[in-house]
Amino acid sequence: MKLVNKIITGVAGMAMLASGALAEDLTIVHGSVGRDQEVLRRQLDTFEAETGNTVTIVSMPESTSDQFGQYRLWLAAQSSDIDVYRMDVIWAPQMASHFIDLNPLVADIIGDFVPAAVESQTVDGKLVALPLFLGAPALYYRADLLEKYGESVPTTWQEMTDTAQLIMDGEHAAGNTGMYGFVFQGAAYEGLTCNAQEWINSSGGGRIVELDGSIEINNPNAAAALTLAASWVGGISPEGVLNYKEEDARGVFQSGNSVFMRNWNYAYALAAGEDSPVRDLFAVTTLPSGGEGTSSAATLGGWNLGVSRYSEHQEAAVELVRFLTNYENQKERAIVTSRPPTLTAVYDDVEVAEQQAFIPLWKPVVDNALPRPSAATLRSYNEVSSAFWTAVHNTMSGQGTAEENLAQLEQELTRLRGARW
Ligand code: GLC
């Protein structure tokens, strides 16, 4: 049997050689949240069948900060083991030198992509990665519970806090003691940077680093936003929220144990899935703001595909990147995982609208999403973000007040700016 297989493979191999196309073994490194990898594997199977190449997935931990650490090691070692990297929207300025310039290789299709997504991956004119999907978070809420308690959908953080507390107390009194008010990403990692940037920016506290590189983060509005957030821990949010990443928050909300949740778009398809206990009970709205004179802020997220400079299969790797971002595959990804596409036309697709109404509904939020300061801080972004999430995490775990931690953060950011960016 084995021999027969070998002969058949040999014949197929010769046919490919004759046609000039050599089968190649590619490797893609890819983080895993929700159903991302299930859809990826299915699409890779099609790519393999169409091209004769094989593609192996190297799976990464959920935390984008852990992925960043691992990628840096591979890239610094100029490893040829990985051909395609799935990269967070914030990494392009820091990692640009390790990737090939995709511009000349996608010139025929780049005009179809959302311009802001392309811009986020362009560093000094070089296209570091091709946008795969975008992200802009929502406030998920239990519509049934708001109705039960006669509460309206909150538009400010204070209203959300009060409503969460009221419903939580009511549910506890009725014996539903597992109920919490609000879950989000509170662990000390990049996810907390995204959450806290939203609390602060939507409360009139500005950006972590302003667009012109100035540092205004040590201000009363930012302090007030962090003080309110610190009050959630052990109150409307479980103590454990300080260790929560995306999937921890989703687990609590989807099992019916939280009134509100801040999460990315992928959670929508899963919470609305057939096996979800809350499938007919929840809805989404934009994240709250600080009230008068302020407006909601949703951090811009998303992932992109870059081809390593050290890859020995660059041509096939580019083909793979183009394949995974093509219309059909983006459409499938939008429908199955509710990830916002990077091709403008997919937002207008009738079947997408029918099967995943969240996508067209969320287009304006995606369009107006707030970037993190990775362009302003260049090679220092990871250190800037880590200083920021540390200040926030310390405040929320009772190590110093918001004012103290923001004053220290200001000094740390000033030092980083002086040293490098
Ligand atoms: C999501 C976003 C990404 C962000 C991360 C933080 O994966 O797409 O941009 O950095 O969450 O946890």
Side-chain angles (χ1 to χ4, degrees):
M1 188 64 191
K2 275 218 172 110
L3 187 64
V4 172
N5 268 345
K6 264 195 189 150
I7 291 170
I8 291 173
T9 316
V11 170
M14 268 154 50
M16 269 184 206
L17 272 177
S19 72
L22 249 180
E24 307 205 45
D25 296 326
L26 296 168
T27 301
I28 180 169
V29 62
H30 196 279
S32 178
V33 173
R35 296 179 68 188
D36 287 348
Q37 272 194 23
E38 176 193 323
V39 172
L40 175 70
R41 188 62 258 172
R42 197 155 64 224
Q43 296 183 348
L44 291 177
D45 291 346
T46 307
F47 179 78
E48 289 182 343
E50 282 177 8
T51 64
N53 297 327
T54 56
V55 190
T56 304
I57 303 175
V58 173
S59 191
M60 285 281 104
E62 177 191 351
S63 160
T64 180
S65 304
D66 293 344
Q67 294 177 39
F68 182 77
Q70 178 58 51
Y71 284 18
R72 272 226 281 225
L73 294 178
W74 275 321
L75 293 168
Q78 311 201 345
S79 166
S80 61
D81 293 350
I82 312 288
D83 303 292
V84 175
Y85 287 77
R86 194 188 77 158
M87 312 221 297
D88 200 335
V89 64
I90 48 188
W91 295 342
Q94 279 185 285
M95 293 187 158
S97 63
H98 299 290
F99 291 87
I100 67 166
D101 182 5
L102 291 172
N103 265 326
L105 306 161
V106 298
D108 54 324
I109 53 171
I110 200 68
D112 301 335
F113 284 72
V114 174
V118 175
E119 200 189 311
S120 75
Q121 300 308 300
T122 304
V123 179
D124 294 335
K126 171 176 176 174
L127 184 61
V128 179
L130 198 58
L132 181 68
F133 60 80
L134 288 161
L139 182 71
Y140 293 72
Y141 64 92
R142 286 285 298 277
D144 61 322
L145 291 175
L146 289 191
E147 200 189 316
K148 177 173 168 190
Y149 288 85
E151 292 290 307
S152 49
V153 178
T155 59
T156 70
W157 291 109
Q158 189 59 56
E159 278 170 22
M160 188 210 70
T161 308
D162 298 342
T163 304
Q165 188 73 57
L166 183 134
I167 296 180
M168 195 176 136
D169 290 348
E171 289 298 295
H172 285 191
N176 182 7
T177 51
M179 186 60 117
Y180 284 101
F182 181 42
V183 289
F184 55 94
Q185 295 74 46
Y189 79 122
E190 184 65 27
L192 180 56
T193 289
C194 299
N195 282 250
Q197 159 170 279
E198 289 155 3
W199 309 329
I200 290 177
N201 188 268
S202 68
S203 303
R207 297 176 179 233
I208 304 165
V209 171
E210 300 300 316
L211 291 175
D212 63 0
S214 63
I215 298 160
E216 317 280 343
I217 189 67
N218 184 14
N219 69 72
N221 288 338
L226 291 190
T227 303
L228 179 63
S231 79
W232 297 333
V233 181
I236 59 170
S237 308
E239 297 276 359
V241 79
L242 292 175
N243 291 316
Y244 277 18
K245 297 195 271 290
E246 281 78 2
E247 287 290 74
D248 304 302
R250 182 175 70 83
V252 175
F253 183 80
Q254 194 169 313
S255 56
N257 292 322
S258 186
V259 185
F260 297 106
M261 167 175 75
R262 181 270 185 207
N263 216 330
W264 300 98
N265 315 77
Y266 83 97
Y268 189 96
L270 292 162
E274 267 169 28
D275 57 352
S276 165
V278 298
R279 67 170 302 194
D280 298 318
L281 307 177
F282 82 98
V284 285
T285 187
T286 47
L287 291 171
S289 74
E292 277 224 24
T294 62
S295 48
S296 167
T299 295
L300 177 68
W303 291 82
N304 308 273
L305 297 174
V307 174
S308 167
R309 256 182 61 198
Y310 319 114
S311 159
E312 284 158 8
H313 315 279
Q314 290 181 5
E315 208 173 303
V318 171
E319 199 183 344
L320 174 60
V321 167
R322 289 177 60 113
F323 174 81
L324 291 173
T325 55
N326 74 20
Y327 192 95
E328 278 314 304
N329 288 323
Q330 289 222 25
K331 180 172 169 176
E332 182 190 22
R333 196 174 299 112
I335 291 173
V336 179
T337 71
S338 56
R339 295 286 204 184
T342 58
L343 286 173
T344 313
V346 179
Y347 287 93
D348 300 327
D349 190 289
V350 178
E351 280 167 24
V352 170
E354 274 169 17
Q355 295 175 50
Q356 194 52 271
F358 186 38
I359 297 294
L361 174 74
W362 223 243
K363 174 103 184 358
V365 184
V366 175
D367 283 346
N368 291 303
L370 179 71
R372 282 157 276 172
S374 61
T377 60
L378 299 173
R379 283 168 306 168
S380 305
Y381 176 72
N382 197 52
E383 287 165 273
V384 165
S385 180
S386 148
F388 178 67
W389 82 55
T390 302
V392 176
H393 201 265
N394 283 345
T395 306
M396 298 187 80
S397 53
Q399 298 171 59
T401 63
E403 287 79 4
E404 286 160 2
N405 283 312
L406 287 175
Q408 202 181 327
L409 174 65
E410 181 182 30
Q411 280 178 17
E412 179 69 6
L413 294 182
T414 308
R415 188 186 66 76
L416 284 170
R417 181 177 59 184
R420 285 211 288 162
W421 91 62

